Amino acid sequence: MRTNILIPPEKLKQDVDYAYNKLKQMHPQLYEYISKSDIDFKIDSLKKTINKPLSSIEFYFKLQPVITSIKQGHLSLQVPTEMLSKEDLLKIKRRLFTRFKYRIQGKHLYIVENRDSVQNIKPGTELVAINNIPVSEYLEKYTKLINSDGLNTTFQPYYLKDIFFHFFTLENGVLDNAKIETLYNNQKQTFIIEREKEADNCVDKKPASKTSYNRNFKFLDEKNSIAYMKIKNFSHYSSDKFYENTFTQIKAAKSSYLIIDIRNNYGGSLEEINNLYSYLTDQPFVLIKPAQLSSGLTPLRTNYFKKSTALEYAIKSMTYPTYIFLQALNTYKGTDGKSYYKIKADNITKPKKDAFQGKIFVLMNGGSFSASSILSSKLKYDKRATLVGEETGGANDGTVAGFYSYQILPNSKLVFPIGLLLVNPNIAFSKTQKGVIPDIKIVETLQDVIEKKDPQLEWVKNEITKEKNY
């Protein structure tokens, strides 16, 4: 890693101030979940602990917990890939720890899938230690690096299972092998696992297209009365065509029930969920409230030239005046004197001609974040769906995202994306500072995951059967 260059304390303190000043300048809801005095105190306390030179990575592990304490789910520092050597980047493609799938419960990390049968480690095995360091210590440390909206606590274990070994690699470097201590059926074992000999090129790991990967649709019964839609993320890529084709099929089949599965969907495009909602209602609707900015100037701070090649820079230079004009055109002052940004989703949208008229169930969990939470919140408020699962990872009342200003901290070179838009679903706020609460709470267990059972989907199917037999 190219991260062994030590940065003097005063330079790192300058980066702390730089990050905080940019937040105060651009973030439209900085003090929603924490007071200014509390942030000021945390910033001052952090700077007092920086009393020796640190690498960028060491600095990351100091600053990120302070960013996390702001409790704005989309705020997070990033370590740029440029800090990794070409050799390390090539090594990472040959998997080590990511050959397994994991689940986190409390201070425990379990292996729930071992598709390559590495060392014949069985699903349900707890990973107790890595290179003699207890995993519980890593979990305690890394949980503090993960942001969530407000008082929500369901998001962290879902996201941490996906990013745990990213943090581990930042801290320990790109390893060729590792000693792991495991626990299965009260029996401890030690293994040496090694990085793959070459990058995995299995066909089943490569989706045929983004459409089929992000969204899947099928009927769950022979009579096609139950339609099931799994949406892994709201990327917006090819989504218009997918929803048009899907709801045409559902209408032709005269389905009575629709299950929308947005579990582990970290969010994405507002435009996509607005379009999806137009297939779920028979009334004109407004998905979100006007999107608020910290000031009318923030849309001009979106790093238009970020990561541009020489040719792209030349082309962007020619189109930059148009970009500035459009950004200014979409920014306006509200009657309350605050600045807002025009978005299609804050206008009245008409329902589609093939909009579904039957009963809707939504499957959600702590991995349902951002746009997934906005969709869930709106469906719940409009009483258009029964929500099944657990509290979403994103806030019920909205979040700050939309588009970002990617700030580069001057000395450490860490990347700091700052969301510029306050996006609230068009509902009466719950003011709980929590996620969207399900109508029917069902939390899958570790054993459910190991045995590939789906208690949430099974509950919905059983409920539908009861209704049909009633």
Side-chain angles (χ1 to χ4, degrees), residues 15-30 63-64 67 70 72-78 147 292-295 298-303 306 399-409 414-422:
D15 277 10
V16 174
D17 289 334
Y18 180 91
Y20 188 27
N21 286 334
K22 291 297 180 183
L23 276 174
K24 289 187 286 188
Q25 186 181 58
M26 290 186 279
H27 199 283
Q29 201 181 34
L30 185 58
L63 179 55
Q64 178 59 24
I67 301 297
I70 298 171
Q72 292 284 348
H74 290 80
L75 275 183
S76 184
L77 289 169
Q78 297 175 358
N147 238 331
Q292 186 181 327
L293 298 157
S294 65
S295 81
T298 48
L300 305 180
R301 299 187 173 113
T302 55
N303 305 79
K306 180 177 179 284
T399 191
V400 175
F403 48 82
Y404 295 81
S405 176
Y406 288 83
Q407 296 297 314
I408 310 295
L409 304 194
L414 297 177
V415 180
F416 190 25
I418 301 175
L420 303 182
L421 291 182
L422 172 57

Side-chain angles (χ1 to χ4, degrees), residues 259 361 363 388 455-465:
I259 302 170
F361 293 91
L363 303 180
V388 180
Q456 295 151 349
L457 179 58
E458 285 305 311
W459 183 90
V460 174
K461 290 163 71 175
N462 290 336
E463 187 69 12
I464 291 172
T465 301

Side-chain angles (χ1 to χ4, degrees), residues 127-244:
L127 193 55
V128 177
I130 305 171
N131 292 337
N132 301 319
I133 305 295
V135 167
S136 59
E137 291 185 14
Y138 286 120
L139 288 171
E140 184 176 0
K141 182 177 186 178
Y142 296 163
T143 298
K144 296 174 183 177
L145 304 175
I146 296 178
N147 238 331
S148 186
D149 285 323
L151 302 180
N152 173 280
T153 57
T154 59
F155 181 63
Q156 281 91 340
Y158 282 93
Y159 190 57
L160 184 53
K161 73 176 174 57
D162 293 338
I163 203 170
F164 179 95
F165 288 103
H166 168 72
F167 293 144
F168 180 88
T169 300
L170 287 180
E171 189 172 15
N172 297 281
V174 181
L175 307 177
D176 289 318
N177 55 64
K179 182 178 82 170
I180 61 171
E181 296 171 40
T182 65
L183 181 65
Y184 182 77
N185 282 346
N186 295 319
Q187 188 172 25
K188 290 186 177 182
Q189 282 187 282
T190 299
F191 301 98
I192 301 296
I193 60 170
E194 297 183 346
R195 196 170 291 279
E196 289 175 310
K197 299 300 181 186
E198 56 186 47
D200 179 24
N201 291 312
C202 292
V203 174
D204 65 346
K205 296 261 188 16
K206 284 188 170 185
S209 71
K210 290 184 180 179
T211 305
S212 62
Y213 175 74
N214 287 338
R215 308 169 198 90
N216 292 291
F217 165 72
K218 61 183 177 181
F219 293 107
L220 297 184
D221 61 331
E222 292 181 358
K223 295 182 179 180
N224 294 347
S225 65
I226 307 173
Y228 171 87
M229 188 186 307
K230 171 68 177 177
I231 309 170
K232 295 182 180 179
N233 64 70
F234 294 111
S235 68
H236 190 51
Y237 182 90
S238 296
S239 63
D240 290 355
K241 186 175 181 180
F242 172 81
Y243 293 124
E244 182 181 353

Side-chain angles (χ1 to χ4, degrees), residues 319-334:
T319 58
Y320 188 61
T322 303
Y323 166 78
I324 292 292
F325 172 75
L326 290 175
Q327 290 293 74
L329 189 66
N330 286 322
T331 304
Y332 66 97
K333 283 280 188 183

Side-chain angles (χ1 to χ4, degrees), residues 301-316:
R301 299 187 173 113
T302 55
N303 305 79
Y304 182 73
F305 294 100
K306 180 177 179 284
K307 289 187 177 180
S308 299
T309 64
L311 178 60
E312 289 170 337
Y313 191 93
I315 295 172
K316 286 183 177 181

